[in-house]
Amino acid sequence: MSVYSMTGYANVVSSVADHDAELPEDSDTPGASRKAGSGSVGAELRSVNSRFLDLSFKLPDEFRGLEPAFRDLLTAAFKRGKIELRLQAQRTSDSAWPQPQPDQLHTLARLEGMVQNWLPKAGGLTVNEVLNLCRQSAPSVKLDDIALEAVRQCVEALKDARAIEGKRLADIIKDRLKQLRELAAQAEPLVPQAVQRQQERFLAKYQEALQAVGGNVTPEAAQERALNEAAAYALRIDVDEEVQRLKAHLDEIERLLRKGGEAGKRLDFLIQELHREANTLGSKAAALELTQISVSMKVLIEQMREQVQNLE
C-alpha cells in the first residue's frame, strides 16, 4: 500500500454527452425519447496538509442539496488534509439551435389545425415560432448525476496525485534514514575510544599526583583509582542505549513506509523520538566527533519532519 501526501490537486470535466443522459421513458414531454439537452460539470479538488480532515465546499446553488453526498465521497477516500471542492456547471441547450423531433412537429401541427378550425383567420406558425416552441418544450438539463460522477472521478484523480506525491516524500525520507544509519554507525566506536583516552589521562594525572605527595600512595592504588574514575566516566558518556533506540525508531519508520496507508501521525511521533535521542547523544558527547554527528543527525531529522508533516 502506498503512503499518501496530503498535498494534491485534481480537476475533471464531465458532460451529459459523456454519460449519454436521457429523459425517463415515461416522460409525457413531447420528444421525450431524444437526448436531454447538453451540459457539463467541472469539478476541482485542492488539498493541503492539516492535522485532521477539514472539508470545504464552493458549489453553485443548484448543487447545495448534493453536499452530503459529496461529503460522504470525500470522507470515504481521505482521512487527513484540508480539502476544498469547487463545482462549475455549464449548459448549452438554451443557446443552441433546437432539433425539432417528429412528435413535436406532429403535436404543433395538430394544435395549429385545431386553432384554425375554431379561428379561421388565425395565421399559421412561422419557422422561428416553431423553433422557439420546440426550445421551450425541451426538458431542462438536470446535472445532479453528472455532478456526482464528476466528483467521483475527481476524487480518484486526487488520490492518484496524492499517491505520486507521497511516493516522492517517502523516497526523500528513506534517503535521510540511510544517512542517519551511517551516522549512528560512525558514533558507536567513538565512545570506547573516548573512554580509553580518558583512562590514560586519569592514569597520567594520578601518577603526577603520586610523585607530588612523595610516594605515599602505591602505584597499584593509583591505577585502581584511575580505572574506577574511567569506569564512572564511561557510564556518564555511554550512548549505546541512545544509538540502539535510534536504530529501532529508524526500523519502525521504514516498516511504516513499507506498510503505507495512514502513517503520518505515527511517523510524526517517531520523528519526535528521534530528535530526543539525537539531543541526548549530543549532551553526552565526550568528543568533538560525537558533537558533530549529533548536529548532523538533528539536521536530517528536521528535514524528515518537514516531509512527514505532509503525509496522511
Side-chain angles (χ1 to χ4, degrees):
M1 185 184 296
S2 301
V3 291
Y4 294 92
S5 169
M6 287 187 284
T7 302
Y9 173 82
N11 68 315
V12 169
V13 177
S14 183
S15 66
V16 173
D18 294 336
H19 302 278
D20 200 25
E22 296 186 358
L23 291 173
E25 294 181 358
D26 59 351
S27 173
D28 57 359
T29 304
S33 63
R34 73 188 190 284
K35 301 293 182 187
S38 60
S40 63
V41 176
E44 182 182 86
L45 282 170
R46 299 174 183 268
S47 175
V48 295
N49 60 324
S50 175
R51 292 183 61 191
F52 308 102
L53 183 61
D54 182 7
L55 304 179
S56 63
F57 301 90
K58 296 189 177 180
L59 311 175
D61 289 341
E62 63 182 301
F63 297 137
R64 287 296 175 187
L66 296 177
E67 184 173 322
F70 296 153
R71 188 175 296 274
D72 289 343
L73 287 173
L74 292 171
T75 53
F78 308 110
K79 303 304 178 186
R80 293 178 67 199
K82 181 177 176 60
I83 301 176
E84 178 184 272
L85 171 64
R86 291 173 178 263
L87 286 186
Q88 289 185 336
Q90 290 186 342
R91 288 181 171 82
T92 58
S93 60
D94 291 341
S95 58
W97 287 102
Q99 299 295 322
Q101 302 297 308
D103 53 352
Q104 281 183 311
L105 297 175
H106 175 75
T107 299
L108 290 175
R110 178 173 56 80
L111 293 174
E112 182 184 37
M114 182 184 300
V115 171
Q116 289 179 336
N117 284 337
W118 284 91
L119 303 171
K121 295 183 179 181
L125 292 170
T126 66
V127 172
N128 185 56
E129 289 171 339
V130 170
L131 291 176
N132 284 331
L133 288 170
C134 288
R135 178 183 289 112
Q136 294 170 12
S137 64
S140 61
V141 182
K142 191 169 180 62
L143 299 177
D144 285 8
D145 291 340
I146 307 304
L148 284 169
E149 183 60 26
V151 173
R152 288 191 191 98
Q153 294 180 13
C154 203
V155 166
E156 293 302 316
L158 182 60
K159 286 172 65 176
D160 291 341
R162 287 170 48 134
I164 292 172
E165 178 67 9
K167 182 180 182 305
R168 187 185 71 82
L169 297 180
D171 289 341
I172 294 174
I173 295 171
K174 288 176 182 177
D175 177 69
R176 302 303 185 270
L177 291 176
K178 180 181 178 182
Q179 295 181 54
L180 283 170
R181 289 189 184 281
E182 292 172 354
L183 290 173
Q186 294 173 24
E188 285 182 299
L190 293 178
V191 173
Q193 294 173 12
V195 172
Q196 180 64 32
R197 289 195 300 268
Q198 192 65 24
Q199 180 178 331
E200 293 172 357
R201 292 193 194 100
F202 284 146
L203 284 172
K205 288 183 178 181
Y206 275 110
Q207 287 173 358
E208 291 176 4
L210 181 62
Q211 293 174 359
V213 298
N216 291 332
V217 179
T218 64
E220 293 78 9
Q223 184 174 10
E224 183 180 356
R225 178 68 174 176
L227 291 175
N228 289 336
E229 291 287 349
Y233 175 77
L235 290 175
R236 289 199 305 272
I237 69 169
D238 182 27
V239 295
D240 181 68
E241 185 178 351
E242 287 75 13
V243 171
Q244 296 308 317
R245 282 201 298 263
L246 187 141
K247 288 182 177 180
H249 296 329
L250 297 180
D251 290 341
E252 179 64 9
I253 290 173
E254 284 189 333
R255 187 190 71 81
L256 289 173
L257 291 176
R258 287 195 301 270
K259 179 182 177 182
E262 303 164 35
K265 289 184 178 180
R266 176 68 176 170
L267 287 171
D268 190 52
F269 170 77
L270 289 170
I271 292 296
Q272 294 178 34
E273 293 302 304
L274 282 178
H275 203 278
R276 189 195 311 277
E277 303 305 335
N279 273 333
T280 304
L281 188 146
S283 67
K284 288 186 174 182
L288 179 60
E289 296 89 344
L290 272 175
T291 301
Q292 292 172 340
I293 287 175
S294 173
V295 171
S296 298
M297 281 184 170
K298 285 189 279 190
V299 170
L300 291 171
I301 292 168
E302 190 59 33
Q303 292 173 354
M304 290 173 61
R305 185 199 301 276
E306 294 174 0
Q307 309 307 325
V308 164
Q309 287 178 346
N310 285 320
L311 290 179
E312 184 176 42

